[in-house]
């Protein structure tokens, strides 16, 4: 059975660096692409950085019970939602995964997949 290794920590602790280093050392690990309602930025690609979606599409996932977690930030361009969706990307029976996110989103993944499947990797810097 696989595991979901979940990298998290406060801002500017080096989470992205740790995440990239783990992927370099373990190229066999799979990653998870999140969904977002924010506009695509120059150089980004659909399905690589995010799945760029609409609020109504995310609501359909929520109604279908496929939304694992979501968080919405109020920006100067309006609300932007980021979400982890059970869309078939994650199969803990067959692979290990590396995910980066917030403590709150970790809690939701752990509740959804079970504590035996989700391993916290908390980056802490004094």
């Amino acid at each position: 059975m696989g595991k979901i290794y979940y990298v998290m920590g406060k801002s500017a602790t080096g989470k992205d660096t740790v995440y990239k280093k783990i992927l370099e050392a373990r190229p066999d690990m799979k990653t998870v692409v999140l969904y977002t309602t924010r506009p695509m930025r120059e150089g980004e690609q659909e399905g690589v950085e995010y799945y760029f979606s609409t609020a109504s599409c995310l609501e359909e996932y929520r109604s279908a019970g496929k939304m694992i977690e979501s968080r919405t930030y109020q920006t100067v361009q309006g609300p932007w939602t980021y979400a982890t969706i059970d869309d078939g990307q994650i199969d803990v029976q067959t692979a290990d995964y590396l995910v980066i996110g917030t403590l709150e989103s970790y809690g939701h993944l752990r509740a959804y997949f079970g504590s035996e499947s989700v391993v916290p990797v908390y980056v802490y810097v004094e």
Side-chain angles (χ1 to χ4, degrees):
M1 185 164 115
K3 301 278 186 194
I4 300 168
Y5 296 91
Y6 204 93
V7 179
M8 62 196 140
K10 293 184 178 179
S11 181
T13 58
K15 295 181 301 290
D16 290 315
T17 301
V18 169
Y19 178 86
K20 290 173 187 172
K21 291 291 186 185
I22 293 171
L23 282 178
E24 285 175 16
R26 290 279 315 273
D28 58 305
M29 293 183 91
K30 295 185 177 199
T31 59
V32 177
V33 179
L34 300 180
Y35 287 68
T36 185
T37 59
R38 80 157 169 76
M40 186 184 297
R41 296 177 181 150
E42 187 175 327
E44 291 182 326
Q45 296 177 346
E46 172 71 21
V48 177
E49 288 81 13
Y50 293 99
Y51 290 114
F52 296 92
S53 190
T54 63
S56 62
C57 180
L58 292 183
E59 186 52 43
E60 288 177 25
Y61 282 121
R62 184 185 309 279
S63 296
K66 293 188 173 282
M67 184 173 287
I68 299 169
E69 64 86 25
S70 71
R71 57 216 172 275
T72 301
Y73 302 99
Q74 298 303 323
T75 74
V76 295
Q77 295 180 336
W80 290 351
T81 300
Y82 296 82
T84 307
I85 304 297
D86 186 357
D87 61 356
Q89 289 184 72
I90 302 172
D91 180 2
V92 292
Q93 300 302 317
T94 61
D96 286 329
Y97 296 83
L98 187 64
V99 178
I100 189 169
T102 65
L103 181 58
E104 183 180 3
S105 60
Y106 158 75
H108 289 286
L109 245 73
R110 187 171 179 238
Y112 192 87
F113 288 103
S115 60
E116 70 282 351
S117 297
V118 184
V119 179
V121 179
Y122 193 83
V123 180
Y124 176 79
V125 178
E126 287 191 34

